[in-house]
Amino acid sequence: GPGPGVMVLHSFWGLTPSVKSLCDDLADHGYTVLAPDINFGELPASEQEALDHLGKADPNRLASLVLSSAKLLHEKSTEGPIGIVGFGLGGSLALWASVRLADLVSAGVSFYGSQQIDFAGSQAAYLIHLAEEDEYVSDDEAAFMEATMRLENLDVEVHQYQGTRHGFAEPDGDTFDPAAFDDAWGRTLAFLGERLA
């Protein structure tokens, strides 16, 4: 579509039908959507298989794909800066890319992804969705990330969803929580509508 650009970065489960469905929903809301396959075709059958695949991934290849995809999307959309929405691994990459491409990204949404980086130079606003119990993102790590963002006077909105675990927004895993996902996705659409309008 002709609207503002939104890049969607999936989790270690890969570019699944449910991720494509979210992309369709964003397109229905008027966005130009790009979802690069950061698993390079792999669709793991189990969490352990997904972790094994992630452990073998070439970080330079992954970074290059994310950055080039964001630049391509920015070129194809005519509405100014883009937004990035990521899940787990994709959420971490979304946060990282928002700093690396500060002049292109005005909105970053992370579902249970974190980054322990310097957010200096970022021009994005952030919406962070966290699980109550997360074996991949500790409370201290999440608090440190938020504090680092706020040190740069960035606009940060953080929500933690009670009774949820890592992956609560993904039907492909066994920790999916439909009510929490609906709540988080509604907030995401509102946030993107405000930041990319």
Side-chain angles (χ1 to χ4, degrees):
V6 176
M7 183 164 69
V8 176
L9 299 175
H10 60 72
S11 72
F12 59 28
W13 290 113
L15 189 56
T16 63
S18 61
V19 174
K20 294 176 184 179
S21 177
L22 290 181
C23 294
D24 288 341
D25 188 46
L26 286 167
D28 289 343
H29 280 84
Y31 297 104
T32 300
V33 186
L34 176 63
D37 186 350
I38 57 176
N39 260 25
F40 301 99
E42 294 293 325
L43 291 171
S46 68
E47 184 172 334
Q48 187 57 55
E49 187 178 325
L51 290 169
D52 291 344
H53 176 71
L54 181 58
K56 297 173 186 173
D58 179 347
N60 293 322
R61 184 183 184 205
L62 189 57
S64 176
L65 175 60
V66 170
L67 296 178
S68 62
S69 296
K71 291 174 184 176
L72 175 64
L73 176 61
H74 184 257
E75 291 173 7
K76 295 296 182 184
S77 58
T78 59
E79 302 288 331
I82 66 170
I84 308 179
V85 178
F87 299 81
L89 162 66
S92 298
L93 288 168
L95 297 169
W96 171 80
S98 72
V99 178
R100 289 295 301 270
L101 299 173
D103 55 332
L104 302 186
V105 182
S106 64
V109 181
S110 174
F111 285 79
Y112 36 82
S114 69
Q115 274 291 349
Q116 305 302 299
I117 59 174
D118 185 350
F119 282 86
S122 171
Q123 300 177 45
Y126 294 97
L127 174 61
I128 311 295
H129 301 294
L130 299 172
E132 182 177 21
E133 296 181 26
D134 196 324
E135 63 270 38
Y136 299 108
V137 182
S138 70
D139 290 343
D140 288 345
E141 188 177 352
F144 181 81
M145 177 178 67
E146 181 180 352
T148 304
M149 291 173 164
R150 294 195 187 281
L151 279 174
E152 300 299 329
N153 295 313
L154 297 170
D155 188 344
V156 185
E157 184 180 340
V158 180
H159 297 277
Q160 186 179 70
Y161 297 84
Q162 300 305 306
T164 60
R165 294 170 55 200
H166 189 95
F168 71 81
E170 296 170 88
D172 310 293
D174 59 5
T175 58
F176 180 56
D177 185 318
F181 166 72
D182 287 344
D183 192 11
W185 191 244
R187 285 174 169 151
T188 297
L189 291 173
F191 174 80
L192 293 174
E194 179 180 343
R195 302 301 173 181
L196 299 180

